[in-house]
Amino acid sequence: MLYLQLFISFFKIGLFGFGGGLAILSLIQMEVEQYGWMSQQEFVDIVAISQVTPGPIGINCATYVGYTTAGFWGSVLATSAIILPSLIIMLSICRAYFWLNRRFHDNPYFSQTLRMLRFTVLGLIASAALMLIKPANFIDTASWIIFALVAFFTILPEISKPLVNKTPPPVRKGLGAGLSFVSHPILLIVLAGLAGYLIYR
């Protein structure tokens, strides 16, 4: 019964989880809480591990949830279930993709549909972020400071684009490259982990 629950839950997540890994974290958390597979703190830890390990966060999270819940075969089942809908759908539409793109590329209804889907994905990502902002994660002022610094440096390239675009080409190249390096996700993850180790060891 547990294997069936795992398969149905992650197949459903894979089928309706539009927008990639971060956007489906809220769906995974809802299923985990519904069946009581793990505590809130355990789920947060799994999300953190999924972020720093190679591969899509949604698949990594499914693998860890499956392993924690039902061992090795649980991880295999959960991982297979979450990727199966995408595999079926992509194999089904791959041959028709180029025809559809040529046929509807200039269609205003098609373009508007894609535009609305972008807003939906942004909402799902925001929902996932809000679900992770809980007392179990933000235990003191230092954790809030780390979060604020990482958030600031993540959006820094976007808010500095007008400044970069107004500078002469040689300066623009150097400034843009510097901002990209400082805001690189891997660098931010490593620095945040190092800060957490030094503060909470």
Side-chain angles (χ1 to χ4, degrees), residues 93-164:
I93 68 173
C94 187
R95 296 187 61 174
Y97 168 75
F98 292 105
W99 179 84
L100 289 172
N101 190 46
R102 287 193 301 268
R103 177 67 177 81
F104 297 106
H105 179 70
D106 296 324
N107 188 306
Y109 298 104
F110 183 73
S111 301
Q112 191 64 23
T113 300
L114 294 180
R115 192 188 310 275
M116 291 299 104
L117 285 176
R118 294 189 195 115
F119 288 115
T120 304
V121 171
L122 287 174
L124 290 171
I125 293 175
S127 172
L130 290 174
M131 285 188 174
L132 294 175
I133 300 178
K134 293 184 177 180
N137 304 326
F138 296 90
I139 57 178
D140 57 15
T141 305
S143 59
W144 279 102
I145 292 174
I146 294 173
F147 170 77
L149 288 173
V150 171
F152 172 75
F153 283 107
T154 299
I155 65 173
L156 181 61
E158 293 299 321
I159 62 178
S160 60
K161 275 183 178 179
L163 174 64
V164 173

Side-chain angles (χ1 to χ4, degrees), residues 35 39 59-60 80 82 106 119 122 131 158:
Y35 292 106
S39 66
I59 296 177
N60 291 345
S80 302
I82 200 170
D106 296 324
F119 288 115
L122 287 174
M131 285 188 174
E158 293 299 321

Side-chain angles (χ1 to χ4, degrees), residues 20-23 25 43-62 64 125 128-129 132 147 150 154 185-190 192:
L22 289 174
L25 283 182
F43 178 76
V44 171
D45 292 340
I46 283 177
V47 172
I49 294 173
S50 300
Q51 279 276 34
V52 299
T53 49
I57 182 174
I59 296 177
N60 291 345
C61 201
Y64 290 126
I125 293 175
L132 294 175
F147 170 77
V150 171
T154 299
I186 295 177
L187 178 63
L188 293 177
I189 290 172
V190 171

